[in-house]
Amino acid sequence: NLYNQYKSYRPTRLSPNNEQAELLLNVDQTTFAAHELKLYLDVYPNDTNMINLYNEYQKIASEQIKAYERKYGPLLADSPSANNSFSWEAYSWPWETEEM
């Protein structure tokens, strides 16, 4: 309960329009959480609970990225190519599709 509401402000709840947007949102949320845990671990490197949680989020993020890439192509520039060619730039960018 660290959040103090400002007047009548309510945080926006993100709701994806399609499966691709949902997979990308899941990747974004999980990688964000892992990154925040990494920053915490920079300050408290011996916190074993947070190390375990960070490893768990990293594993989940990796699985989510692989699931996205299986359906929609590479998400990262260093993602492995399925046809042994550099095709990262051949796919449409997530913001170029109208469904998102």
Side-chain angles (χ1 to χ4, degrees):
N1 275 343
L2 296 178
Y3 177 71
N4 289 328
Q5 184 173 327
Y6 178 74
K7 296 185 181 179
S8 62
Y9 173 78
R10 297 270 188 253
T12 301
R13 190 155 201 49
L14 301 176
S15 58
N17 298 350
N18 56 38
E19 183 185 19
Q20 183 179 9
E22 183 177 354
L23 288 171
L24 191 57
L25 179 62
N26 291 339
V27 168
D28 289 343
Q29 290 173 337
T30 309
T31 55
F32 177 81
H35 180 73
E36 289 294 308
L37 287 167
K38 189 184 337 179
L39 294 174
Y40 173 87
L41 289 169
D42 282 344
V43 179
Y44 304 101
N46 299 322
D47 188 338
T48 56
N49 290 333
M50 290 300 124
I51 291 171
N52 293 335
L53 188 60
Y54 170 76
N55 290 333
E56 182 180 331
Y57 273 97
Q58 280 295 99
K59 181 181 176 195
I60 293 169
S62 177
E63 291 168 0
Q64 289 175 340
I65 289 169
K66 287 176 187 174
Y68 181 92
E69 289 178 339
R70 275 192 299 274
K71 287 192 134 197
Y72 301 106
L75 188 59
L76 307 170
D78 59 351
S79 295
S81 175
N83 59 4
N84 291 331
S85 66
F86 187 74
S87 60
W88 183 67
E89 79 287 352
Y91 294 92
S92 62
W93 295 90
W95 57 84
E96 292 177 334
T97 59
E98 292 183 24
E99 297 88 37
M100 294 186 81

